[in-house]
Amino acid sequence: MENNLNPQQKEAIETTEGPLLILAGAGAGKTKTITHRILNLIQKGTNPSSVLAITFTNKAAKEMRERVNKLLSDDKMINRPISIQERPFVSTFHALGVHIIKEQCARLDIPRQFTIYDRNDSKKAVKDAVESLSLDPKQYEPGIILNTISREKGNAVTNKAYREKVHDYFSNIVADVWDRYEATLRKEKSLDFDDLLLKTALLLKHDKEIRDYYNSVWKYVHVDEYQDTNTVQYEIVKLLCVNNKNLAVVGDIDQNIYSWRGATIHNILNFEKDYPEAKVILLEENYRSTQTILAAANAIIEKNTLRRKKTLFTKNVAGEKIEVTISYTEVDEARSIASKASDLIREGKDPSEIAVLYRANFQSRALEEAFLREKVPYQILGTRFFDRKEIRDVLSFIRAAINRDSSNDLVRIINIPPRGIGKATILKVISGQAATLGPSLREKVASFTKLLDRIKALAEKETPATLIKYIMQETGMETAFKNGTPDDQEKLENIRELVSVASQYGSVETLLENAALATDQDELERTNRAVKLMTVHASKGLEFDYVFITGLEEDLFPHKRMNENNVTQAAEEEERRLFYVAITRARKKVFLSYAQLRTIFGTQKVNTPSQFISDIDKDLIEETRELLSILSIDF
């Protein structure tokens, strides 16, 4: 075992049998602890393939997988070769769901190569369901209905169970839409993002043979970021450990910030109730941040009552004071941040090690304008590479070729580039009435069908990169974009980038899976050297040398929604946890800022500084004040 592990980490690593709760503060080396615990299990003779580790993001899973593989490759105590088949299974929750569903597709009556709906696919299908009920999508907003369906699936509720428990008018509308949405998914041999977890949980719950099988496959289960689990994820974990109870969960109550998407803090708070024999270990030594940053973080979070008491400490240097900047307007605030980021870069700091965090997405507009004005390179985390239209189009060609029942993909690409196939024709194609078309249209449809046949044949024998090159050329997309506008040429560059991305995957099936399961944080893998702009929620799990936290005003951060008159204690504590997450992203220095005036929804509002600023000891802070807007205008 490594000598640079602290006593608490060593205790967690050596506790291999039974339930274990590791409460790990920000920057306390939780990934190191999990990976070394896995190494220790294998050193003691555990078969690597019987170890499962689950986390939330592709980025975290990739990092953990690479660390585990390196530890196993470098270790001299393991005196037998470990093949790729014997590696521990390290995965996100959703990728685990895909794995189990594909292995058990026959039992679920789902084809192995099912299509995974993304949010846009689901929203369109829900809109179609609303319209099929002769309802107005403007009155019954598909996004709101989809959010309800998603939340219920996250609570492990099916459409049938939902219908039985609701009685009000709107909920009955949701139930009707949900039924039609499910019918569309079945018809198109597709699952949505939430189904990947719900179908897995229901299968494990109701099929004892399958449950026992996976309990025998994975004898040691690890779950990272346990505080972020929702009901269906909690059920999956519990069902995977029902026979052996060798469950190690790692989490931080103080970083529970996703209640709005179903995560419940009670899963981690009740762990000892669920597993009375559980051992609890606290990891409080921080290896990331300066003493100043940790002192501020501790002062912020200790005001919360819904938590297990722990105090982060570090052997790192005291570091620079936290800089608080008061600006007149949001425009001044943004200019100040861009200017300071520019100064840091001129001093030789890596732009990639600078992050600007905000509570609400609308704040990014003023920041973008300021960064453009200062000519500071920046990247906004929020637009996924796989969400770009041209990328979705290419992937839809593959999905439509492999799964001909996916009318969603068929409709998307039948006229890309334009083939002169109208809506009426498309409807006939989808409904199997292509034979009733006139000769000219029949020929166009037949030509398109043959193209899909060729793509399918190629997908079965060629690499993903080769397939995408073929699609670029044979569909006419390459020629159309090459001869088009500068925007078109940028789209062509993006598709060429997709070829590079695809070259990392061994099969088309894996590429499609990863594209469907990608998150915002995956964009960091494809970046240039630029300052990162993102919401605080998006920053979770990341770390930077220099962190700017903006908009620290009452009602913005902590956030208060316009329709909230009585903010609950739980909501207040989550906002405080969110600020704790923001401040602990920083290694070297934190910059806090607020504007005395901010325009929100067209109305200028006078602001009170956030309570979070006054919670920090004044000895840890240095304050600066920007000039008023009227003095900073260019003449």
Side-chain angles (χ1 to χ4, degrees), residues 102 111-115 189 402-403 509:
K102 286 195 170 183
R112 180 177 170 81
Q113 291 190 320
F114 60 85
T115 295
K189 296 184 172 57
I402 292 171
N403 177 9
E509 190 176 337

Side-chain angles (χ1 to χ4, degrees), residues 207-446:
D207 193 323
K208 184 178 184 300
E209 185 182 345
I210 296 296
R211 184 170 65 249
D212 288 345
Y213 169 71
Y214 285 110
N215 271 252
S216 68
V217 169
W218 295 310
K219 295 184 174 66
Y220 294 89
V221 178
H222 303 74
V223 183
D224 190 15
E225 306 287 8
Y226 191 69
Q227 79 281 348
D228 290 335
T229 52
N230 62 14
T231 301
V232 74
Q233 289 160 337
Y234 166 84
E235 288 292 334
I236 289 170
V237 171
K238 196 171 181 182
L239 291 162
L240 287 173
C241 301
V242 75
N243 293 348
N244 53 50
K245 301 287 194 300
N246 291 326
L247 170 64
V249 305
V250 187
D252 184 1
I253 295 164
D254 297 332
Q255 294 189 70
N256 172 264
I257 59 171
Y258 292 117
S259 66
W260 51 276
R261 69 182 191 197
T264 169
I265 197 169
H266 297 290
N267 289 347
I268 193 166
L269 286 172
N270 293 338
F271 188 84
E272 292 160 274
K273 193 180 291 183
D274 292 336
Y275 305 94
E277 69 276 37
K279 185 170 188 175
V280 181
I281 297 171
L282 267 63
L283 301 184
E284 296 174 290
E285 183 172 356
N286 176 286
Y287 296 93
R288 176 188 302 159
S289 307
T290 64
Q291 291 177 25
T292 297
I293 292 168
L294 291 189
N298 286 330
I300 291 294
I301 204 62
E302 69 182 11
K303 288 200 166 186
N304 275 4
T305 57
L306 201 63
R307 66 188 292 259
R308 286 281 292 264
K309 182 171 173 56
K310 68 176 186 309
T311 304
L312 291 179
F313 68 93
T314 186
K315 295 171 185 172
N316 294 340
V317 297
E320 296 184 64
K321 286 189 174 185
I322 293 170
E323 188 173 314
V324 177
T325 301
I326 308 161
S327 299
Y328 186 53
T329 69
E330 72 270 22
V331 174
D332 295 314
E333 179 192 41
R335 285 178 178 175
S336 168
I337 290 166
S339 175
K340 285 172 184 172
S342 180
D343 289 344
L344 287 169
I345 294 167
R346 269 197 300 273
E347 291 167 11
K349 309 299 189 288
D350 183 346
S352 303
E353 288 298 342
I354 303 170
V356 182
L357 311 183
Y358 37 85
R359 178 62 182 83
N361 273 307
F362 75 82
Q363 293 172 256
S364 67
R365 183 195 58 80
L367 290 162
E368 273 199 88
E369 289 177 1
F371 273 74
L372 285 167
R373 179 189 177 95
E374 287 283 337
K375 296 184 173 57
V376 176
Y378 72 92
Q379 176 197 12
I380 290 193
L381 215 65
T383 303
R384 297 189 315 141
F385 176 74
F386 290 110
D387 275 345
R388 291 177 170 88
K389 181 184 180 303
E390 60 276 12
I391 302 302
R392 285 169 57 84
D393 291 344
V394 172
L395 296 178
S396 278
F397 270 105
I398 303 174
R399 295 188 341 178
I402 292 171
N403 177 9
R404 295 300 170 87
D405 291 302
S406 181
S407 59
N408 203 34
D409 288 305
L410 197 70
V411 170
R412 181 179 185 90
I413 46 95
I414 199 167
N415 269 320
I416 293 177
R419 292 184 177 83
I421 300 175
K423 289 183 179 178
T425 304
I426 294 170
L427 285 172
K428 286 191 175 183
V429 172
I430 292 169
S431 58
Q433 300 175 51
T436 65
L437 297 169
S440 174
L441 282 173
R442 262 205 321 273
E443 188 177 333
K444 287 177 182 177
V445 170

Side-chain angles (χ1 to χ4, degrees), residues 566-582:
N566 300 311
V567 181
T568 63
Q569 180 190 355
E572 285 182 354
E573 293 206 359
E574 182 152 339
E575 285 297 305
R576 192 168 286 278
R577 292 195 294 270
L578 193 57
F579 183 65
Y580 172 84
V581 166

Side-chain angles (χ1 to χ4, degrees), residues 435-503:
T436 65
L437 297 169
S440 174
L441 282 173
R442 262 205 321 273
E443 188 177 333
K444 287 177 182 177
V445 170
S447 174
F448 174 72
T449 303
K450 285 175 185 173
L451 172 62
L452 293 184
D453 289 339
R454 295 196 302 275
I455 291 171
K456 183 181 181 183
L458 215 63
E460 291 168 356
K461 62 183 181 183
E462 290 290 352
T463 65
T466 301
L467 179 65
I468 291 165
K469 286 178 188 175
Y470 180 83
I471 291 170
M472 282 171 61
Q473 293 159 4
E474 292 298 305
T475 59
M477 292 174 80
E478 185 174 40
T479 303
F481 287 148
K482 195 182 287 183
N483 300 325
T485 64
D487 280 350
D488 287 335
Q489 285 157 28
E490 185 180 336
K491 290 174 183 176
L492 181 58
E493 288 302 314
N494 286 334
I495 297 175
R496 285 174 175 160
E497 173 65 10
L498 179 60
V499 174
S500 301
V501 172
S503 66

Side-chain angles (χ1 to χ4, degrees), residues 603-620:
T603 303
Q604 200 169 58
K605 181 175 178 283
V606 179
N607 298 310
T608 305
S610 170
Q611 59 188 272
F612 298 150
I613 296 175
S614 57
D615 287 340
I616 300 171
D617 191 320
K618 286 183 170 54
D619 291 340
L620 303 174

